[in-house]
Amino acid sequence: MGNLLLRDDGVGVHAVRALREKPLPRILCAEIGTAVLDSLHLLSWADKILAIDAMAAGGIPGSVYSFGVGDVAENGAPASLHEIGLLSALRFLPPAKNLEIQILGIEPETIGYGLELTPAVRQALPLVTRTAREIVARWKN
Amino acid sequence: MAITTLVIDPVTRLEGHLKIDVKVDTVGGKQRVVEAFATGTLFRGFETLLINRPPDDAQHITQRICGVCPVPHGMAAVMALDKAYQVTVPPNARIMRNLVMGANFIQSHILHFYHLAALDFINGPNMPPWQPSWQADKRFDANTTAALVNNYVKALEMTRKAHEMGALFGGRMPHPPAYVPGGFTATPRPERITKFQTHLGEILGFIQGVYLKDVEALGRVYGDYFSIGRGPGNLLAFGVFDTNATGSSKLLRPGRIANGYSAVQPVDVKQITEEVNRSWYADSTGHLNPATGATVPQYPKTNAYSWLKAPRYAGVPYEAGPLARMWVNGDYQRGISVMDRHLARAQETFKIASAMRGWVDQLQSGGSVYTPASTPLTATSYGLTEAPRGALGHWLQISNGRISRYQVVTPTCWNASPRDGSGKRGPIEEALIGTPVADLNQPVEVVRVIHSFDPCLSCAVHVMRPAEGAKIYALGQAPGPVKKPIPTREIHLPPASPPGFCRES
């Protein structure tokens, strides 16, 4: 998830593209970008989800965090449909749906116009993809 | 009472950034808007980056102006290029172009009503996107509210399927790559036609059984909005969805209405000028027809207040959009207001979706979709069509086989335009004048008027924050102590009001 046009905000999309270089059997690697509401059909189709996104938790840029969906703060009032976050989107799913959701967050350095990640965040990508692979490998067991 | 200035910046639930300043005073014992200024806060600049590029790039680059209605930009560009290349596209290509664009209209209209506009009228559940919101003047009872919230979710599914329809023939949505001068790059394949028809049938059922009924219900409960937000009373349509090879016949024909008179008058493209007196562009580029137009930003500039130019027809502001199209075609002539715009838009959705069913049947499997076309060394051309939110034109000049001039005039430039040199307000500004404002702290009436035009100015940050006391595990890169979460974007929220509202007395 994230906006590819706003540098480190797009780190989740960069991670998904890196993950796609070596296919993960039975895992759909989806670029959600900022179209979270448009991905509801994917959320309702999956039974386990790993979301990768920028995470402003206050650590140094490039820090990688792992946490559950219950630990994410709800975004404030969205100014645009593109600002509807994962948490809000999940509330649109049928309540019976028991989704297992895990999140990898990466502390951004710069959020502003540009296609490139900052060096600190780019250097965190191998750790992100390695951790992502470990997490989905555990799902299969 | 003293005049109060209300500033809504940004106006939320539209794409892009629009700032509205309105002044409210007591007129005839009632608080009303007495002055309005609409400010487009983004410089678009696509015209500048197209210069010196191969003309075939135009339909790809201009589609990136916005993800909400990219297809009309692709259509306007290929129409201009077809003319410049002197090619006539085969029927299959014309139909495929129409079908992908029709899918985009359906997607955009349903999205506009349920996801952008209806929230001004519904007191939804306590979660984004419904809250925080102004609580004033929410008239639906609990059962109707619950049904409308449920339809919001259903509408999400419909807009997704409409996007799928566009992608089935266009290759992807948004920004389908299949539009090319000379035709279309995809051929109609039976299995795709079948899938397209299935989605279309389901969406038609939704439009008839849900969307139209909900808009009609809104009109009954908020009947006063048939007399709010009239605007200049001038309506302009370039026409859209060619039904023959020359484009002389269209599903929605071109025309204009002046001063609210019902006689439809022809559109003479030479009468269009763009004024820049109050816009952040060099005065030397003002009062030009887009065929000779130029984009020369000048910021700051005395008395200017918008990045939108002010398009005028024979010097007069015109409203563009579904109401203009439906009025010109005799399909809807009840009146010009907030509610008339919503009704005309919903009825147009049905008209387009119904026509699309017939077009799909006209596709010839295996028939050609392309007439060979090559770039001329020099040419002057334009393409006029419609975006969901109104009349759209692209003007093009080719020199030495490259783009030497490109001008785009969007519907929101017509509707959200600032004043021109003679001081005439743009349509949204004009529509706001006289709008009653019951509660200065919750000027919901103002937002309803703005949203009825479906303005689209063009994107967003997406960062998560940890909740207080969250359990977060740092995995590497030595984060140091996780500090108190800092919001990545400061939003100043007065109690229970949407972001970006302030009141100055």
Side-chain angles (χ1 to χ4, degrees):
Chain A
M1 299 166 58
N3 190 335
L4 203 56
L5 305 178
L6 295 175
R7 301 207 67 176
D8 292 343
D9 191 59
V11 61
V13 177
H14 286 275
V16 160
R17 290 181 178 181
L19 281 167
R20 279 179 170 166
E21 283 169 16
K22 217 167 85 191
L24 291 154
R26 295 174 55 235
I27 304 287
L28 176 73
C29 267
E31 269 188 47
I32 302 300
T34 57
V36 179
L37 280 184
D38 291 313
S39 70
L40 277 182
H41 64 296
L42 296 178
L43 297 180
S44 58
W45 168 81
D47 49 19
K48 289 189 173 67
I49 289 172
L50 172 65
I52 310 178
D53 197 358
M55 168 86 172
I60 63 166
S63 302
V64 180
Y65 316 108
S66 165
F67 49 100
V69 73
D71 288 322
V72 184
E74 187 109 47
N75 286 334
S80 146
L81 284 180
H82 289 304
E83 288 178 34
I84 297 218
L86 180 64
L87 209 59
S88 306
L90 288 174
R91 303 220 201 160
F92 289 107
L93 294 180
K97 179 89 188 170
N98 193 17
L99 262 181
E100 191 183 313
I101 300 176
Q102 206 163 348
I103 299 172
L104 279 177
I106 302 96
E107 184 77 37
E109 180 174 335
T110 305
I111 292 178
Y113 292 121
L115 300 170
E116 304 267 311
L117 294 175
T118 56
V121 172
R122 194 171 60 240
Q123 279 162 21
L125 275 183
L127 175 65
V128 174
T129 52
R130 197 168 64 238
T131 311
R133 285 181 188 283
E134 284 166 15
I135 290 170
V136 301
R138 279 202 297 275
W139 287 351
K140 288 184 204 163
N141 299 329
Chain B
M1 74 171 220
I3 292 180
T4 307
T5 301
L6 308 176
V7 181
I8 305 175
D9 177 22
V11 178
T12 60
R13 276 183 280 111
L14 51 82
E15 293 317 326
H17 294 277
L18 177 66
K19 173 187 165 210
I20 293 281
D21 285 59
V22 292
K23 294 187 193 309
V24 177
D25 197 1
T26 304
V27 183
K30 213 169 173 186
Q31 288 185 145
R32 288 183 188 280
V33 173
V34 293
E35 199 43 279
F37 295 85
T39 298
T41 61
L42 284 174
F43 170 61
R44 192 179 62 214
F46 271 69
E47 287 88 348
T48 314
L49 67 88
L50 281 159
I51 303 296
N52 283 329
R53 290 195 180 257
D56 284 14
D57 286 358
Q59 75 273 14
H60 302 300
I61 293 176
T62 57
Q63 285 196 59
R64 269 70 188 174
I65 288 172
C66 182
V68 178
C69 55
V71 186
H73 284 292
M75 182 74 108
V78 294
M79 285 172 80
L81 293 168
D82 288 345
K83 229 184 280 180
Y85 293 18
Q86 300 180 326
V87 284
T88 304
V89 307
N92 261 353
R94 173 178 55 76
I95 296 165
M96 302 265 287
R97 283 178 178 182
N98 281 347
L99 288 171
V100 173
M101 185 136 112
N104 194 186
F105 269 63
I106 292 173
Q107 194 270 350
S108 181
H109 281 0
I110 294 176
L111 175 109
H112 172 260
F113 181 69
Y114 284 100
H115 307 133
L116 304 179
L119 278 70
D120 294 338
F121 301 93
I122 299 168
N123 192 18
N126 189 22
M127 60 180 269
W130 285 283
Q131 309 292 351
S133 78
W134 289 323
Q135 301 302 307
D137 194 32
K138 302 285 175 77
R139 303 180 199 168
F140 286 111
D141 60 42
N143 284 343
T144 315
T145 299
L148 286 166
V149 168
N150 187 49
N151 291 345
Y152 177 107
V153 182
K154 186 78 185 152
L156 280 172
E157 190 191 335
M158 292 301 126
T159 56
R160 176 172 65 74
K161 285 184 170 161
H163 255 355
E164 267 182 46
M165 286 163 63
L168 277 168
F169 293 147
R172 53 169 286 186
M173 272 303 289
H175 316 307
Y179 288 77
V180 288
F184 207 70
T185 62
T187 51
R189 296 219 307 264
E191 71 279 9
R192 299 209 168 177
I193 293 174
T194 308
K195 194 158 186 202
F196 192 96
Q197 282 170 321
T198 308
H199 280 345
L200 183 56
E202 189 183 346
I203 291 173
L204 256 169
F206 175 83
I207 295 168
Q208 262 187 302
V210 183
Y211 177 24
L212 275 165
K213 289 198 164 65
D214 283 349
V215 180
E216 283 159 11
L218 186 74
R220 281 192 300 275
V221 175
Y222 287 90
D224 43 333
Y225 279 85
F226 281 110
S227 51
I228 293 175
R230 176 177 164 83
N234 305 320
L235 304 173
L236 175 73
F238 288 162
V240 64
F241 298 118
D242 292 0
T243 50
N244 65 2
T246 60
S248 62
S249 163
K250 296 178 195 290
L251 177 71
L252 292 160
R253 65 176 180 274
R256 81 197 152 79
I257 303 290
N259 300 319
Y261 296 121
S262 59
V264 179
Q265 302 181 48
V267 176
D268 171 11
V269 69
K270 290 196 258 342
Q271 297 295 320
I272 297 169
T273 57
E274 286 198 291
E275 309 301 325
V276 300
N277 309 71
R278 311 298 298 275
S279 310
W280 286 304
Y281 297 94
D283 281 329
S284 59
T285 63
H287 203 60
L288 294 174
N289 182 264
T292 54
T295 304
V296 183
Q298 184 189 322
Y299 183 91
K301 177 178 156 184
T302 312
N303 288 328
Y305 64 94
S306 182
W307 281 109
L308 301 187
K309 294 181 180 178
R312 297 291 186 256
Y313 185 95
V316 178
Y318 273 76
E319 172 180 345
L323 178 60
R325 291 189 289 261
M326 294 292 275
W327 196 299
V328 161
N329 280 272
D331 290 316
Y332 186 101
Q333 300 186 336
R334 188 193 186 286
I336 304 174
S337 68
V338 168
M339 210 48 74
D340 290 306
R341 289 186 191 99
H342 288 302
L343 274 165
R345 189 176 290 110
Q347 292 182 15
E348 183 188 72
T349 316
F350 181 67
K351 177 169 175 147
I352 294 171
S354 306
M356 285 167 68
R357 210 155 45 169
W359 298 338
V360 187
D361 292 338
Q362 293 167 17
L363 284 172
Q364 289 173 331
S365 193
S368 165
V369 290
Y370 180 67
T371 306
S374 56
T375 311
L377 273 179
T378 56
T380 308
S381 181
Y382 60 87
L384 300 182
T385 185
E386 295 276 336
R389 44 201 50 74
L392 171 70
H394 285 200
W395 280 259
L396 159 82
Q397 221 174 66
I398 301 171
S399 309
N400 295 319
R402 297 270 169 161
I403 295 172
S404 54
R405 187 196 300 274
Y406 209 101
Q407 288 287 304
V408 174
V409 182
T410 63
T412 296
C413 278
W414 285 98
N415 290 336
S417 67
R419 284 155 174 73
D420 53 35
S422 66
K424 280 193 280 295
R425 299 180 191 97
I428 289 180
E429 291 177 338
E430 187 63 36
L432 284 166
I433 305 298
T435 299
V437 178
D439 179 353
L440 288 177
N441 292 312
Q442 304 186 56
V444 62
E445 301 91 341
V446 170
V447 180
R448 287 170 180 164
V449 171
I450 299 166
H451 278 154
S452 72
F453 283 87
D454 190 10
C456 178
L457 299 104
S458 269
C459 245
V461 185
H462 225 280
V463 181
M464 294 189 184
R465 298 177 284 120
E468 290 288 339
K471 288 190 202 72
I472 293 180
Y473 304 93
L475 295 173
Q477 301 284 320
V482 173
K483 291 177 290 191
K484 192 174 156 42
I486 307 158
T488 50
R489 207 179 130 169
E490 297 258 345
I491 296 176
H492 300 285
L493 274 183
S497 74
F501 170 66
C502 74
R503 175 182 163 180
E504 299 158 4
S505 291

